[in-house]
Amino acid sequence: ETGVTQTPRHLVMGMTNKKSLKCEQHLGHNAMYWYKQSAKKPLELMFVYNFKEQTENNSVPSRFSPECPNSSHLFLHLHTLQPEDSALYLCASSQDVRGGSVTDTQYFGPGTRLTVL
Amino acid sequence: DQQVKQNSPSLSVQEGRISILNCDYTNSMFDYFLWYKKYPAEGPTFLISISSIKDKNEDGRFTVFLNKSAKHLSLHIVPSQPGDSAVYFCAASPRIGNQFYFGTGTSLTVIP
């Protein structure tokens, strides 16, 4: 148990559906992240939020829409996804985002396994 | 272009022996390095880290070595145990900035 929870753990959706992934951290951290992990590829950073403000968007298609209402919660809203978006979506949190520091250590949730039909 | 590479997708080691997992990086601005361990159906779990001001960090059975001139780090597990069987990811962070760059992982199997 890392202190980061994600729901749902598994999700199957059609290309026309709208769904949301939820992440919650109980570590008192200020930064939260969304990653995508596809088979045989490194973790790809999607979004970074620091103190509820988005600080990074790694050229993610607009069919993925993040929301961070407070430092403890992070959502990823999904709409009109493509089959190639099927992957494991991981949420993480860290104390800070200053870079090159122990406060950067990220703690991950268990992930949501997404399948787009 | 991948800035962090783990060239061995898998490794098998006998229980009690040493496991050595390797990681190479290309960006000289990387300042902080971590190893994560991942079991199936779980998220990566932080294992051990090292800052570029050090060349070694030890935590129990786990030791991470950093060779800055070679842009190489390695994770040593001694002695290896069957419960260590998992996928191990290395990650690197630059001196400034909030992005971690991950390798593709090495799947370690410790044979009883």
Side-chain angles (χ1 to χ4, degrees), chain A residues 58-100:
Chain A
N58 267 7
S59 304
V60 180
S62 60
R63 57 186 183 269
F64 295 91
S65 173
E67 179 191 359
C68 188
N70 54 62
S71 293
S72 299
H73 293 86
L74 185 64
F75 295 89
L76 188 62
H77 304 298
L78 315 171
H79 62 98
T80 59
L81 294 193
Q82 305 297 311
E84 60 264 29
D85 296 322
S86 299
L88 180 68
Y89 288 84
L90 290 160
C91 172
S93 71
S94 68
Q95 183 180 330
D96 211 331
V97 294
R98 281 176 292 187

Side-chain angles (χ1 to χ4, degrees), chain A:
Chain A
E1 180 62 46
T2 64
V4 181
T5 58
Q6 289 186 245
T7 54
R9 294 294 305 274
H10 300 272
L11 178 63
V12 179
M13 59 187 288
M15 289 191 285
T16 58
N17 292 157
K18 287 185 180 180
K19 296 285 184 185
S20 295
L21 310 184
K22 179 183 176 182
C23 175
E24 184 173 358
Q25 58 97 359
H26 311 275
L27 301 169
H29 288 165
N30 300 312
M32 296 187 78
Y33 310 77
W34 279 118
Y35 285 89
K36 174 184 178 183
Q37 186 180 25
S38 305
K40 293 187 170 39
K41 294 175 76 173
L43 270 69
E44 300 172 53
L45 180 67
M46 299 175 72
F47 301 103
V48 181
Y49 277 82
N50 193 30
F51 290 97
K52 302 187 299 178
E53 298 297 320
Q54 188 179 123
T55 59
E56 195 85 30
N57 176 340
N58 267 7
S59 304
V60 180
S62 60
R63 57 186 183 269
F64 295 91
S65 173
E67 179 191 359
C68 188
N70 54 62
S71 293
S72 299
H73 293 86
L74 185 64
F75 295 89
L76 188 62
H77 304 298
L78 315 171
H79 62 98
T80 59
L81 294 193
Q82 305 297 311
E84 60 264 29
D85 296 322
S86 299
L88 180 68
Y89 288 84
L90 290 160
C91 172
S93 71
S94 68
Q95 183 180 330
D96 211 331
V97 294
R98 281 176 292 187
S101 161
V102 66
T103 58
D104 259 6
T105 300
Q106 295 177 16
Y107 296 85
F108 286 83
T112 295
R113 175 67 63 185
L114 173 67
T115 303
V116 181
L117 301 176

